[in-house]
Amino acid sequence: MKKMSAKLLLAAVMGTTLVLSACSGGSGGGGTGGDAASGSESKSDGGAAATNDAPKEKVVVDFWVNQFEESTSAWFKKWVEEFNKTHEHIEVKLTIVPGDAWDQKMKAAQAAGKAPQVYTRDYGKIVPAAMQGQFMPLDEYVDPAIWADLYPNVEQFVLYKDKHYAYPMLVEPSAVLYYRKDLFQAAGLDPANPPKTWDELIDAGKKLTKDGVYGLHIASNAVEFSWTTWGLQMNSGHQAISEDWSKANLDAHYESLIAFYKRLYDEKVAPAQALNGYTDMADFGQGKVAMSVNGSWGIGQLRNDYKDILPNVGVAPMPTPDGDGTKPSATLGGWSFVMDGKAKNPKEAGEFISWFLAGDPEIMVDYFRTSQFSKFPPRKSVDEAINADPQAQSDEVRKMIAEKIVPYSLAEPTYDWAISFAFGSAIERAIQGQSPAEALAQAEKEINEFIAKNDYASKKP
């Protein structure tokens, strides 16, 4: 009935469109009654005449977020409700989408012209999508001052041709070394001096491997090697392909990285069969391994599920070839808010993004508090506010990761996954018996073939 009323109303006022537009406050959309799936249309009062006495219509902004932990979903709901309470002219409609349903739901919405105006996106997809016009640059619709609050290394994640295509929400270092202090002491190791180099890590792992406990949990298959080693790959100062994307760039450092992983498995520091996936801390929490390389999110799992071992948990940067902690050992994954390339209400969508992610620091402090400080802010002002939080002040793990890992971590590569997988597969083949030199040569051949076949240099952002 609402749609019929709206059509009749539209026909009746077709000749006075400009007048109607002015009376409706310029809120965009057709003034028809939209439901939750209608995306970006303005709400209707069900057919009331558009006069100066009529209530102002709200602009509806659909907002989709990936489904994360329950605490994160509750946090999104809490602050969307707060935004709607404090903004009379905008109504944000939140939809939480499970990860396995995201692509199908988004494609269906886009095909129907009902894609959400604002949604969450991980950093690795921002530049490729910006190149294809899938996102709208935010610069025109937000206060330019919000960009100065970002850490410079994180701001680069959302830039394409000097325009910002997202606003960062959080960052998560991909590789952190967790270790058991009590097991270090039992093995004659100093828990105050965790391994800093690859050689030190292997030596410590060999001493810790005993009594049914393995020395180290780390990536164990081609897929995991493909992304968990990005930071160590770029420790040498460059990515796996040349800057112009015209050829593979796998030098001696990449061969030494393959050899490092081969040693971990050949010398049985890591179990031949992984006890669980890379992102899972269960084996460490259950005392089956003495050290674990995992993302910063790992401390959250330990604090939730393995509280009894927390006093004996040490945390340090992932060891590197030469122990120089100012060189990257991790990449920063994480999430941001983007504006759809066909957003019908970019002004209001930009206002929402600014309020939510770049406004009062307490909104984001509340998020990092609920995540038990296992994730990290991209904004300086939020970091300052967290540092003033009594709970955060006593959190030595958060402090170490924030000061010694986040500042030196890099963005994830934006090139095709096939390139990353070629190198990850090389590590897997070496562990299975191929020499590092042969594994590297095969990866180089596969990457160059992919580049040539896809004219990949022409696709560089």
Side-chain angles (χ1 to χ4, degrees):
M1 290 300 292
K2 281 186 176 182
K3 290 183 178 180
M4 180 62 74
S5 298
K7 289 179 179 178
L8 292 173
L9 173 63
L10 181 61
V13 300
M14 187 65 76
T16 57
T17 301
L18 293 176
V19 175
L20 176 60
S21 177
C23 291
S24 64
S27 58
T32 56
D35 56 18
S38 65
S40 53
E41 296 182 358
S42 299
K43 292 180 68 179
S44 169
D45 61 4
T51 69
N52 287 334
D53 297 330
K56 296 291 186 183
E57 293 179 340
K58 283 190 174 184
V59 172
V60 175
V61 176
D62 264 8
F63 172 43
W64 286 12
V65 302
N66 294 74
Q67 186 175 42
F68 300 104
E69 301 90 344
E70 290 185 8
S71 59
T72 300
S73 295
W75 173 79
F76 274 119
K77 292 175 182 175
K78 170 185 174 181
W79 289 104
V80 166
E81 288 176 5
E82 182 64 22
F83 178 87
N84 287 334
K85 288 178 184 176
T86 55
H87 292 74
E88 294 182 352
H89 64 295
I90 306 173
E91 180 178 0
V92 172
K93 291 193 172 182
L94 171 67
T95 301
I96 297 173
V97 183
D100 57 1
W102 181 276
D103 287 345
Q104 183 177 4
K105 186 174 176 67
M106 180 62 78
K107 288 178 181 177
Q110 290 171 335
K114 296 179 178 179
Q117 298 199 60
V118 179
Y119 47 97
T120 48
R121 213 69 182 122
D122 58 289
Y123 296 123
K125 294 182 175 65
I126 292 173
V127 171
M131 292 173 63
Q132 298 173 15
Q134 295 176 8
F135 300 157
M136 191 177 294
L138 304 180
D139 304 79
E140 184 179 346
Y141 306 104
V142 300
D143 183 344
I146 67 174
W147 307 114
D149 196 25
L150 293 173
Y151 286 109
N153 62 332
V154 182
E155 183 183 9
Q156 298 303 313
F157 299 179
V158 301
L159 276 172
Y160 173 62
K161 292 188 175 180
D162 297 325
K163 292 186 179 299
H164 299 85
Y165 282 84
Y167 198 87
M169 173 182 165
L170 64 94
V171 293
E172 299 173 293
S174 61
V176 176
L177 177 65
Y178 301 86
Y179 62 98
R180 285 282 296 269
K181 296 176 184 177
D182 54 338
L183 297 181
F184 262 53
Q185 288 177 321
L189 298 167
D190 182 1
N193 290 295
K196 293 183 176 61
T197 69
W198 289 350
D199 287 340
E200 291 175 357
L201 181 67
I202 292 173
D203 289 344
K206 291 165 70 174
K207 292 176 181 176
L208 290 162
T209 301
K210 58 182 180 180
D211 302 329
V213 177
Y214 285 100
L216 179 69
H217 163 96
I218 199 166
S220 63
N221 57 64
V223 171
E224 292 180 350
F225 295 136
S226 299
W227 67 271
T228 64
T229 63
W230 279 332
L232 291 176
Q233 291 177 37
M234 292 185 277
N235 184 273
S236 64
H238 64 84
Q239 297 183 338
I241 59 175
S242 59
E243 290 188 4
D244 61 3
W245 288 18
S246 66
K247 61 182 179 181
N249 192 17
L250 304 179
D251 58 12
H253 168 76
Y254 280 76
E255 183 176 339
S256 68
L257 179 55
I258 295 174
F260 162 63
Y261 276 87
K262 182 175 175 58
R263 281 189 65 196
L264 286 173
Y265 284 90
D266 284 354
E267 299 183 27
K268 304 186 187 311
V269 171
Q273 296 294 324
L275 304 179
N276 43 246
Y278 177 82
T279 59
D280 192 346
M281 292 288 282
D283 53 0
F284 183 81
Q286 295 167 3
K288 297 178 181 177
V289 296
M291 298 186 290
S292 178
V293 177
N294 211 311
S296 65
W297 55 82
I299 191 61
Q301 185 180 358
L302 295 179
R303 287 171 172 169
N304 285 326
D305 300 338
Y306 303 101
K307 295 182 175 67
D308 57 322
I309 70 167
L310 288 175
N312 281 316
V313 174
V315 181
M318 172 66 193
T320 60
D322 59 5
D324 185 347
T326 65
K327 296 178 181 176
S329 60
T331 49
L332 294 178
W335 294 90
S336 66
F337 288 8
V338 299
M339 189 189 302
D340 189 77
K342 297 180 179 178
K344 296 178 180 177
N345 305 105
K347 177 177 176 292
E348 289 79 7
E351 184 174 345
F352 170 65
I353 293 172
S354 293
W355 182 91
F356 208 108
L357 294 184
D360 183 355
E362 179 55 31
I363 298 174
M364 293 309 304
V365 171
D366 186 41
Y367 168 74
F368 291 111
R369 198 179 288 126
T370 62
S371 72
Q372 302 200 56
F373 302 111
S374 61
K375 307 172 196 300
F376 295 84
R379 292 171 55 195
K380 302 168 192 171
S381 60
V382 175
D383 239 349
E384 292 171 359
I386 290 175
N387 289 333
D389 183 283
Q391 181 182 349
Q393 285 178 343
S394 61
D395 189 338
E396 293 299 323
V397 173
R398 187 201 72 81
K399 183 178 180 182
M400 193 289 298
I401 296 176
E403 295 180 355
K404 295 186 178 180
I405 298 179
V406 173
Y408 307 110
S409 298
L410 301 175
E412 298 172 349
T414 57
Y415 50 67
D416 196 278
W417 172 253
I419 293 168
S420 296
F421 190 68
F423 185 72
S425 298
I427 297 177
E428 185 177 76
R429 289 195 302 273
I431 291 171
Q432 294 171 348
Q434 196 174 28
S435 74
E438 291 172 339
L440 186 74
Q442 183 173 335
E444 184 175 40
K445 179 175 181 291
E446 291 172 355
I447 292 172
N448 282 330
E449 287 176 349
F450 173 85
I451 289 173
K453 180 179 179 181
N454 294 281
D455 187 20
Y456 208 56
S458 68
K459 297 180 172 62
K460 185 183 184 303

